[in-house]
Amino acid sequence: MMREFLTSGLVHGLLGEAQGSVWMPPEASTFANEMDPLFYFVLYLSVFFFVLLIGATVWFTLKYRERSPDQKTSPVKHNGRLEFLWSAIPTVLLLVIFVWGQKPFVNLSSAPVDALNLRVTGQKWNWTIDYPGLNKSCGAASVADPETGIEHMETDFFVPANRPVKLTIGAADVLHSFYIPAFRLKRDAVPGRYTGYWFNANEPGVYELFCAEYCGQQHSEMRGRVHVLSEMEWRAFLKSSRCPALDPDADDYGEKLYQANCKTCHSIDGSRQTGPSFKGIWGHTAEITGGTSVTVDDNYVRESLRDPSAKIVESFAPGMPVFSSSQLDDRAVNALIEFIKSQGDSGHIE
Ligand code: CUA
């Protein structure tokens, strides 16, 4: 039985087959077959060295045990070759793991430009998934456990199959971790900061979604289902009322916020006003007073709202008021970020 487990895991891992093993659920994203061989390599390498080292320890303990009270330890001398090898072999193995893991890691961090952009927010104790471009938001709904009848909140998360999906992940209260085992993806959701990754789910189906960071009493209930939809199902989902509108009042929530809060100082046509224009700033590197620079991204926009004097764009004077979370809540900040994003990234900062 044990041998079967090991072989199935090893074979699946090395060949990158889509079935799961005792160690891993079935592969359901394009990353999974990049990650799994490395996982199995590290696993079996660890098993090999565990057996080797613990076996040798037990064997030496028995072989060189004290047999009589007056027995003395024989003098121990250096063995240069042995000492070189036990440093060199692990170094080479660690470098192999590093180089092997580097490629998928870099890939994971840079989403394709045509990816569908979604926002994930973790809060005690459920997830909210916003679809800014589609003006939809999937919150958690109450679900009863079929056996116990006890109700808890669960999130249904819908994504199209075979299409890159980029997640921008945040947290409203404490640290959470957004985890989809079948995609081999796990990312911390950190309050006051955005993290992200992307995936391409290539197997339509329903997969489990977890919170992988202890976040309080109902941490274990903070779960949901990821529905990977075929082209036809995805089109039906877009028309359905399964997820309500992101902002019930308007499709242009971000623009309304801009008109009300930012317009007097930040233009969208590239003209210079009190503050930098929003035209084409997304993704650009801005020179900061004091000689540093910053990339205009989710985190920078958020910081600029909450703490405007932290990074002043060169040649502009400080003077922007603070927007606290009671004036602009997280959802408003996200909407403004989406608005700034929609002003393009082709120009430069005025
Ligand atoms: Cu959220 Cu654990």
Side-chain angles (χ1 to χ4, degrees):
M1 197 67 180
M2 192 61 203
R3 196 165 152 269
E4 250 175 66
F5 281 162
L6 288 170
T7 331
S8 70
L10 187 63
V11 170
H12 290 150
L14 295 180
L15 300 182
E17 284 185 18
Q19 294 104 2
S21 70
V22 69
W23 310 111
M24 290 284 206
E27 298 177 348
S29 80
T30 51
F31 284 125
N33 60 26
E34 270 186 79
M35 305 271 189
D36 286 8
L38 178 57
F39 170 81
Y40 287 114
F41 177 73
V42 173
L43 176 70
Y44 291 117
L45 193 69
S46 309
V47 170
F48 173 77
F49 279 105
F50 177 81
V51 171
L52 184 76
L53 296 176
I54 301 302
T57 308
V58 171
W59 187 57
F60 286 141
T61 308
L62 294 174
K63 185 167 157 66
Y64 298 107
R65 69 185 183 278
E66 191 186 67
R67 285 161 204 269
S68 64
D70 56 348
Q71 197 183 15
K72 286 213 178 84
T73 306
S74 54
V76 180
K77 292 200 202 83
H78 278 287
N79 184 327
R81 184 185 288 181
L82 192 64
E83 286 172 22
F84 172 76
L85 284 178
W86 78 44
S87 302
I89 294 173
T91 305
V92 171
L93 289 173
L94 286 176
L95 283 173
V96 167
I97 294 170
F98 170 74
V99 172
W100 196 343
Q102 180 70 3
K103 194 180 143 260
F105 177 74
V106 170
N107 188 3
L108 192 64
S109 313
S110 42
V113 281
D114 60 341
L116 176 69
N117 281 295
L118 307 184
R119 288 189 170 273
V120 172
T121 308
Q123 60 258 312
K124 291 195 261 183
W125 283 278
N126 55 59
W127 299 99
T128 309
I129 320 282
D130 291 341
Y131 299 72
L134 306 168
N135 195 31
K136 274 176 180 283
S137 176
C138 285
S142 186
V143 177
D145 188 294
E147 279 168 29
T148 60
I150 295 171
E151 299 227 330
H152 69 273
M153 302 295 275
E154 252 183 40
T155 307
D156 280 298
F157 174 25
F158 299 88
V159 288
N162 296 309
R163 187 170 159 192
V165 175
K166 185 187 173 197
L167 304 179
T168 303
I169 302 167
D173 38 39
V174 297
L175 191 62
H176 303 273
S177 182
F178 191 75
Y179 181 34
I180 307 172
F183 295 178
R184 311 293 190 266
L185 291 178
K186 186 195 276 174
R187 199 72 167 219
D188 276 4
V190 188
R193 188 201 308 180
Y194 296 102
T195 57
Y197 62 47
W198 74 280
F199 61 81
N200 185 339
N202 53 358
E203 292 285 333
V206 182
Y207 304 97
E208 284 176 300
L209 161 66
F210 294 107
C211 175
E213 190 77 62
Y214 182 72
C215 54
Q217 221 178 2
Q218 290 175 51
H219 155 73
S220 63
E221 299 294 328
M222 192 170 165
R223 56 184 195 227
R225 287 169 298 259
V226 184
H227 303 256
V228 177
L229 308 178
S230 67
E231 185 61 39
M232 218 173 68
E233 292 168 322
W234 176 247
R235 268 185 271 134
F237 164 74
L238 293 181
K239 285 189 204 132
S240 76
S241 56
R242 189 64 214 252
C243 297
L246 183 57
D247 173 42
D249 306 325
D251 288 348
D252 54 355
Y253 183 38
E255 190 179 348
K256 280 190 173 163
L257 290 167
Y258 165 77
Q259 300 285 356
N261 299 286
C262 324
K263 197 175 180 243
T264 43
C265 300
H266 300 273
S267 78
I268 49 171
D269 60 2
S271 64
R272 188 187 167 104
Q273 292 176 0
T274 315
S277 172
F278 288 166
K279 187 186 177 189
I281 59 167
W282 192 258
H284 274 255
T285 305
E287 300 298 325
I288 297 301
T289 308
T292 57
S293 64
V294 68
T295 302
V296 180
D297 60 6
D298 299 79
N299 283 311
Y300 178 58
V301 173
R302 186 195 183 103
E303 181 186 62
S304 300
L305 287 162
R306 300 289 192 239
D307 182 12
S309 57
K311 296 190 183 83
I312 304 288
V313 175
E314 205 159 62
S315 86
F316 288 93
M320 175 167 153
V322 173
F323 290 89
S324 69
S325 54
S326 57
Q327 289 158 292
L328 290 178
D329 62 10
D330 283 355
R331 176 137 310 180
V333 170
N334 290 345
L336 261 178
I337 289 171
E338 293 301 331
F339 175 76
I340 294 173
K341 243 189 226 179
S342 72
Q343 299 309 306
D345 53 9
S346 51
H348 65 279
I349 293 171
E350 294 289 329

